[in-house]
PDB file of all heavy atoms in Angstrom:
ATOM      1  N   GLU A 226      77.995 -55.380   7.430  1.00 91.00           N
ATOM      2  CA  GLU A 226      79.428 -55.095   7.320  1.00 91.00           C
ATOM      3  C   GLU A 226      80.193 -55.629   8.524  1.00 91.00           C
ATOM      4  O   GLU A 226      81.313 -56.125   8.400  1.00 91.00           O
ATOM      5  CB  GLU A 226      79.644 -53.586   7.198  1.00 91.00           C
ATOM      6  CG  GLU A 226      79.051 -52.982   5.917  1.00 91.00           C
ATOM      7  CD  GLU A 226      79.141 -51.470   5.894  1.00 91.00           C
ATOM      8  OE1 GLU A 226      79.640 -50.888   6.885  1.00 91.00           O
ATOM      9  OE2 GLU A 226      78.699 -50.868   4.894  1.00 91.00           O
ATOM     10  N   VAL A 227      79.592 -55.521   9.709  1.00 94.00           N
ATOM     11  CA  VAL A 227      80.276 -55.896  10.951  1.00 94.00           C
ATOM     12  C   VAL A 227      80.303 -57.411  11.143  1.00 94.00           C
ATOM     13  O   VAL A 227      81.294 -57.971  11.630  1.00 94.00           O
ATOM     14  CB  VAL A 227      79.603 -55.202  12.149  1.00 94.00           C
ATOM     15  CG1 VAL A 227      80.109 -55.757  13.473  1.00 94.00           C
ATOM     16  CG2 VAL A 227      79.838 -53.701  12.089  1.00 94.00           C
ATOM     17  N   ILE A 228      79.212 -58.091  10.779  1.00 93.00           N
ATOM     18  CA  ILE A 228      79.163 -59.548  10.946  1.00 93.00           C
ATOM     19  C   ILE A 228      79.860 -60.184   9.750  1.00 93.00           C
ATOM     20  O   ILE A 228      79.301 -60.305   8.659  1.00 93.00           O
ATOM     21  CB  ILE A 228      77.711 -60.044  11.074  1.00 93.00           C
ATOM     22  CG1 ILE A 228      77.058 -59.435  12.321  1.00 93.00           C
ATOM     23  CG2 ILE A 228      77.674 -61.577  11.176  1.00 93.00           C
ATOM     24  CD1 ILE A 228      75.599 -59.785  12.499  1.00 93.00           C
ATOM     25  N   ASN A 229      81.106 -60.542   9.961  1.00 93.00           N
ATOM     26  CA  ASN A 229      81.897 -61.162   8.906  1.00 93.00           C
ATOM     27  C   ASN A 229      82.756 -62.279   9.488  1.00 93.00           C
ATOM     28  O   ASN A 229      82.787 -62.491  10.715  1.00 93.00           O
ATOM     29  CB  ASN A 229      82.772 -60.118   8.184  1.00 93.00           C
ATOM     30  CG  ASN A 229      83.669 -59.342   9.138  1.00 93.00           C
ATOM     31  OD1 ASN A 229      84.307 -59.925  10.010  1.00 93.00           O
ATOM     32  ND2 ASN A 229      83.715 -58.019   8.970  1.00 93.00           N
ATOM     33  N   GLU A 230      83.445 -63.000   8.616  1.00 93.00           N
ATOM     34  CA  GLU A 230      84.226 -64.157   9.057  1.00 93.00           C
ATOM     35  C   GLU A 230      85.282 -63.776  10.085  1.00 93.00           C
ATOM     36  O   GLU A 230      85.477 -64.469  11.095  1.00 93.00           O
ATOM     37  CB  GLU A 230      84.905 -64.831   7.854  1.00 93.00           C
ATOM     38  CG  GLU A 230      83.948 -65.508   6.890  1.00 93.00           C
ATOM     39  CD  GLU A 230      83.522 -64.585   5.742  1.00 93.00           C
ATOM     40  OE1 GLU A 230      83.586 -63.345   5.924  1.00 93.00           O
ATOM     41  OE2 GLU A 230      83.112 -65.114   4.697  1.00 93.00           O
ATOM     42  N   GLU A 231      85.962 -62.654   9.850  1.00 93.00           N
ATOM     43  CA  GLU A 231      87.047 -62.243  10.744  1.00 93.00           C
ATOM     44  C   GLU A 231      86.533 -61.902  12.140  1.00 93.00           C
ATOM     45  O   GLU A 231      87.104 -62.347  13.152  1.00 93.00           O
ATOM     46  CB  GLU A 231      87.770 -61.033  10.147  1.00 93.00           C
ATOM     47  CG  GLU A 231      88.919 -60.519  10.997  1.00 93.00           C
ATOM     48  CD  GLU A 231      89.569 -59.271  10.418  1.00 93.00           C
ATOM     49  OE1 GLU A 231      89.181 -58.848   9.309  1.00 93.00           O
ATOM     50  OE2 GLU A 231      90.464 -58.719  11.091  1.00 93.00           O
ATOM     51  N   ASN A 232      85.448 -61.116  12.219  1.00 94.00           N
ATOM     52  CA  ASN A 232      84.935 -60.712  13.534  1.00 94.00           C
ATOM     53  C   ASN A 232      84.319 -61.871  14.305  1.00 94.00           C
ATOM     54  O   ASN A 232      84.461 -61.958  15.530  1.00 94.00           O
ATOM     55  CB  ASN A 232      83.921 -59.583  13.369  1.00 94.00           C
ATOM     56  CG  ASN A 232      84.572 -58.255  13.053  1.00 94.00           C
ATOM     57  OD1 ASN A 232      85.752 -58.047  13.350  1.00 94.00           O
ATOM     58  ND2 ASN A 232      83.808 -57.344  12.456  1.00 94.00           N
ATOM     59  N   ILE A 233      83.606 -62.753  13.610  1.00 94.00           N
ATOM     60  CA  ILE A 233      83.032 -63.926  14.282  1.00 94.00           C
ATOM     61  C   ILE A 233      84.138 -64.809  14.844  1.00 94.00           C
ATOM     62  O   ILE A 233      84.051 -65.319  15.966  1.00 94.00           O
ATOM     63  CB  ILE A 233      82.129 -64.728  13.321  1.00 94.00           C
ATOM     64  CG1 ILE A 233      80.877 -63.933  12.943  1.00 94.00           C
ATOM     65  CG2 ILE A 233      81.744 -66.075  13.947  1.00 94.00           C
ATOM     66  CD1 ILE A 233      79.885 -63.737  14.069  1.00 94.00           C
ATOM     67  N   LYS A 234      85.194 -64.985  14.073  1.00 93.00           N
ATOM     68  CA  LYS A 234      86.338 -65.776  14.547  1.00 93.00           C
ATOM     69  C   LYS A 234      86.971 -65.117  15.761  1.00 93.00           C
ATOM     70  O   LYS A 234      87.353 -65.786  16.730  1.00 93.00           O
ATOM     71  CB  LYS A 234      87.367 -65.912  13.419  1.00 93.00           C
ATOM     72  CG  LYS A 234      88.639 -66.661  13.801  1.00 93.00           C
ATOM     73  CD  LYS A 234      88.381 -68.132  14.070  1.00 93.00           C
ATOM     74  CE  LYS A 234      89.688 -68.877  14.297  1.00 93.00           C
ATOM     75  NZ  LYS A 234      89.464 -70.320  14.592  1.00 93.00           N
ATOM     76  N   LYS A 235      87.037 -63.790  15.745  1.00 92.00           N
ATOM     77  CA  LYS A 235      87.702 -63.049  16.816  1.00 92.00           C
ATOM     78  C   LYS A 235      86.944 -63.163  18.139  1.00 92.00           C
ATOM     79  O   LYS A 235      87.559 -63.328  19.197  1.00 92.00           O
ATOM     80  CB  LYS A 235      87.839 -61.585  16.410  1.00 92.00           C
ATOM     81  CG  LYS A 235      88.761 -60.766  17.294  1.00 92.00           C
ATOM     82  CD  LYS A 235      88.851 -59.333  16.788  1.00 92.00           C
ATOM     83  CE  LYS A 235      89.539 -59.254  15.440  1.00 92.00           C
ATOM     84  NZ  LYS A 235      89.703 -57.845  14.993  1.00 92.00           N
ATOM     85  N   ILE A 236      85.611 -63.084  18.095  1.00 93.00           N
ATOM     86  CA  ILE A 236      84.881 -63.073  19.368  1.00 93.00           C
ATOM     87  C   ILE A 236      84.371 -64.449  19.793  1.00 93.00           C
ATOM     88  O   ILE A 236      84.203 -64.697  20.993  1.00 93.00           O
ATOM     89  CB  ILE A 236      83.713 -62.062  19.361  1.00 93.00           C
ATOM     90  CG1 ILE A 236      82.597 -62.496  18.422  1.00 93.00           C
ATOM     91  CG2 ILE A 236      84.195 -60.669  19.038  1.00 93.00           C
ATOM     92  CD1 ILE A 236      81.337 -61.651  18.598  1.00 93.00           C
ATOM     93  N   TYR A 237      84.132 -65.355  18.844  1.00 92.00           N
ATOM     94  CA  TYR A 237      83.596 -66.672  19.210  1.00 92.00           C
ATOM     95  C   TYR A 237      84.591 -67.816  18.961  1.00 92.00           C
ATOM     96  O   TYR A 237      84.318 -68.953  19.353  1.00 92.00           O
ATOM     97  CB  TYR A 237      82.320 -66.972  18.420  1.00 92.00           C
ATOM     98  CG  TYR A 237      81.138 -66.103  18.787  1.00 92.00           C
ATOM     99  CD1 TYR A 237      80.614 -65.200  17.864  1.00 92.00           C
ATOM    100  CD2 TYR A 237      80.544 -66.186  20.043  1.00 92.00           C
ATOM    101  CE1 TYR A 237      79.514 -64.403  18.190  1.00 92.00           C
ATOM    102  CE2 TYR A 237      79.458 -65.385  20.372  1.00 92.00           C
ATOM    103  CZ  TYR A 237      78.955 -64.500  19.440  1.00 92.00           C
ATOM    104  OH  TYR A 237      77.871 -63.710  19.770  1.00 92.00           O
ATOM    105  N   ASP A 238      85.697 -67.523  18.269  1.00 91.00           N
ATOM    106  CA  ASP A 238      86.659 -68.557  17.876  1.00 91.00           C
ATOM    107  C   ASP A 238      85.979 -69.672  17.094  1.00 91.00           C
ATOM    108  O   ASP A 238      86.192 -70.865  17.339  1.00 91.00           O
ATOM    109  CB  ASP A 238      87.373 -69.126  19.115  1.00 91.00           C
ATOM    110  CG  ASP A 238      88.612 -69.935  18.738  1.00 91.00           C
ATOM    111  OD1 ASP A 238      89.184 -69.671  17.658  1.00 91.00           O
ATOM    112  OD2 ASP A 238      89.002 -70.845  19.501  1.00 91.00           O
ATOM    113  N   VAL A 239      85.134 -69.254  16.150  1.00 91.00           N
ATOM    114  CA  VAL A 239      84.403 -70.191  15.289  1.00 91.00           C
ATOM    115  C   VAL A 239      84.624 -69.775  13.833  1.00 91.00           C
ATOM    116  O   VAL A 239      84.552 -68.586  13.495  1.00 91.00           O
ATOM    117  CB  VAL A 239      82.892 -70.169  15.608  1.00 91.00           C
ATOM    118  CG1 VAL A 239      82.117 -70.990  14.589  1.00 91.00           C
ATOM    119  CG2 VAL A 239      82.640 -70.696  17.013  1.00 91.00           C
ATOM    120  N   ASP A 240      84.890 -70.760  12.982  1.00 91.00           N
ATOM    121  CA  ASP A 240      85.022 -70.490  11.556  1.00 91.00           C
ATOM    122  C   ASP A 240      83.650 -70.569  10.900  1.00 91.00           C
ATOM    123  O   ASP A 240      82.897 -71.523  11.122  1.00 91.00           O
ATOM    124  CB  ASP A 240      85.960 -71.513  10.901  1.00 91.00           C
ATOM    125  CG  ASP A 240      87.388 -71.381  11.390  1.00 91.00           C
ATOM    126  OD1 ASP A 240      87.885 -70.237  11.445  1.00 91.00           O
ATOM    127  OD2 ASP A 240      87.997 -72.413  11.733  1.00 91.00           O
ATOM    128  N   ILE A 241      83.316 -69.550  10.113  1.00 91.00           N
ATOM    129  CA  ILE A 241      82.002 -69.509   9.456  1.00 91.00           C
ATOM    130  C   ILE A 241      82.146 -69.224   7.970  1.00 91.00           C
ATOM    131  O   ILE A 241      83.215 -68.830   7.485  1.00 91.00           O
ATOM    132  CB  ILE A 241      81.101 -68.417  10.079  1.00 91.00           C
ATOM    133  CG1 ILE A 241      81.715 -67.022   9.830  1.00 91.00           C
ATOM    134  CG2 ILE A 241      80.852 -68.673  11.545  1.00 91.00           C
ATOM    135  CD1 ILE A 241      80.721 -65.895   9.852  1.00 91.00           C
TER     136      ILE A 241
END
Side-chain angles (χ1 to χ4, degrees):
E226 296 174 359
V227 169
I228 298 176
N229 55 46
E230 292 93 336
E231 180 183 356
N232 285 337
I233 293 291
K234 177 68 174 179
K235 192 179 293 184
I236 69 169
Y237 292 114
D238 194 26
V239 172
D240 294 314
I241 64 156

